[in-house]
Amino acid sequence: MGASQRTDWKPFIYGGLASIVAELGTFPLDTTKTRLQVQGQKFDQRYSSLKYSGMTDALLQISQQEGVKALYSGISSAILRQATYGTIKFGTYYSLKNAAMDRWETDDLVVINVVCAAVAGAVSSAIANPTDVVKVRMQVTGSNSNLSLFGCFQDVYQHEGIRGLWRGVGPTAQRAAIIAAVELPIYDYSKKKLTSVLGDSVSNHFVSSFVASMGSAVASTPIDVVRTRLMNQRRIHTAGVLPPHFYSGSIDCFVQTFKNEGFLALYKGFVPTWFRMGPWNIIFFITYEQLKQWDRSHLSLKKMFDQSDE
């Protein structure tokens, strides 16, 4: 019983570690995505201008005007987020999936994978939402703010209350559910189909993760735009009235964005989103699979030494 219980925790640990590694490797692209998503809001005069023409221009302007360090504004919150979100998401998904496969004695029910992934994504993102809010705020302000991770948490709480830390939790959970429901089953399916050709190799993990990232980027970008804009807006709870640029919720934000900026505005930041999701997934799944293989090798060696002692 003890061994099985320890094994059940491995997807959580490996998922969290792999998520942090992937986040460190792709964070500048996430910063450009966030900056692109908040600009051009006719509903919010603070961000009504189009400062950046695209991902490359955003990278260059941020680096030149604010320094390369600004591309990593919010990295501390991002690491904290992945330590919670990544750990819970991947651990819950694989745990639910394995339990479902044992229950129905099958590994071919795609609907089971989709449901398990959606539940894991929604729950984990909702729990980690405060770290996401702080990350977005720090990315948008960049070098213009001297607030630390703790200082930013404190600033949001003091001015906007506990609700401020869960701003955008609806679209955040929806986005995470969609990403997970698309990304994880596609990866598992692609990996399974490619095993006959590439084996359980790094090449297989690379191709499968790249395919999964394309699907999740297309499905999630509109919700990600809404989520980012909701998280970035400030609502001072002592003001009494809402500022003119305030979105009342995810549906209002979606409608206002579509009405004032057009359909393509819902895909602002798509290129850096995909460019980030591709490398992020590749780094994550290769790291995750290598941790699993290391664990299997470690257990094999341990078993061999135990048998030799006998």
Side-chain angles (χ1 to χ4, degrees):
M1 180 178 69
S4 64
Q5 286 180 339
R6 286 194 299 272
T7 302
D8 290 340
W9 283 102
K10 289 177 182 177
F12 290 88
I13 297 171
Y14 296 162
L17 290 173
S19 296
I20 291 172
V21 171
E23 193 74 11
L24 289 171
T26 60
F27 192 74
L29 293 176
D30 188 54
T31 298
T32 63
K33 177 211 72 173
T34 299
R35 295 285 186 97
L36 288 169
Q37 288 178 337
V38 299
Q39 70 174 7
Q41 300 179 66
K42 306 301 181 185
F43 198 50
D44 189 341
Q45 295 304 311
R46 296 173 303 168
Y47 306 102
S48 59
S49 62
L50 294 174
K51 184 177 181 180
Y52 311 112
S53 61
M55 180 187 72
T56 303
D57 183 50
L59 280 169
L60 291 175
Q61 283 202 50
I62 295 170
S63 301
Q64 293 171 357
Q65 297 173 9
E66 304 174 48
V68 176
K69 185 179 179 181
L71 292 170
Y72 282 89
S73 294
I75 187 64
S76 55
S77 184
I79 292 174
L80 179 60
R81 176 178 182 268
Q82 292 302 338
T84 52
Y85 169 70
T87 299
I88 298 170
K89 173 184 174 181
F90 293 100
T92 301
Y93 168 66
Y94 287 112
S95 296
L96 289 175
K97 179 183 172 182
N98 291 336
M101 288 192 299
D102 291 341
R103 172 67 176 81
W104 283 284
E105 298 181 350
T106 180
D107 59 354
D108 292 326
L109 290 179
V110 175
V111 67
I112 289 179
N113 293 350
V114 171
V115 171
C116 291
V119 170
V123 171
S124 58
S125 64
I127 293 173
N129 197 78
T131 60
D132 219 358
V133 171
V134 170
K135 176 177 75 76
V136 168
R137 300 284 179 93
M138 295 177 78
Q139 284 178 318
V140 172
T141 55
S143 59
N144 295 322
S145 174
N146 294 319
L147 287 177
S148 62
L149 172 62
F150 177 76
C152 195
F153 269 112
Q154 192 174 38
D155 179 70
V156 175
Y157 178 74
Q158 286 181 345
H159 292 94
E160 303 168 64
I162 193 69
R163 290 179 61 186
L165 292 171
W166 264 270
R167 189 167 311 288
V169 67
T172 296
Q174 293 164 9
R175 172 183 177 270
I178 289 174
I179 288 178
V182 173
E183 180 181 275
L184 297 178
I186 287 179
Y187 174 80
D188 286 344
Y189 178 83
S190 300
K191 177 186 170 185
K192 182 179 178 181
K193 293 299 181 182
L194 290 172
T195 299
S196 60
V197 179
L198 300 174
D200 190 12
S201 63
V202 173
S203 298
N204 186 342
H205 308 153
F206 180 94
V207 175
S208 299
S209 57
F210 184 81
V211 172
S213 67
M214 181 59 180
S216 59
V218 171
S220 67
T221 298
I223 295 178
D224 193 31
V225 171
V226 171
R227 176 192 73 99
T228 299
R229 291 185 172 193
L230 286 174
M231 286 183 168
N232 185 54
Q233 68 180 4
R234 290 171 61 87
R235 177 179 184 174
I236 309 303
H237 63 76
T238 58
V241 294
L242 297 180
H245 55 262
F246 190 81
Y247 299 114
S248 62
S250 57
I251 294 177
D252 181 51
C253 183
F254 183 92
V255 171
Q256 291 290 344
T257 300
F258 180 80
K259 177 182 176 181
N260 296 319
E261 302 169 59
F263 173 76
L264 291 180
L266 295 170
Y267 277 88
K268 283 186 175 182
F270 173 78
V271 173
T273 295
W274 184 33
F275 270 62
R276 178 177 181 268
M277 278 187 169
W280 197 99
N281 280 312
I282 289 168
I283 295 171
F284 170 82
F285 282 112
I286 288 178
T287 303
Y288 185 85
E289 298 287 357
Q290 291 301 307
L291 286 169
K292 289 202 306 183
Q293 290 181 10
W294 171 84
D295 183 57
R296 286 195 293 265
S297 300
H298 176 72
L299 288 177
S300 297
L301 286 173
K302 185 176 184 298
K303 185 176 180 180
M304 182 179 67
F305 283 123
D306 289 342
Q307 290 175 344
S308 64
D309 289 339
E310 294 175 359

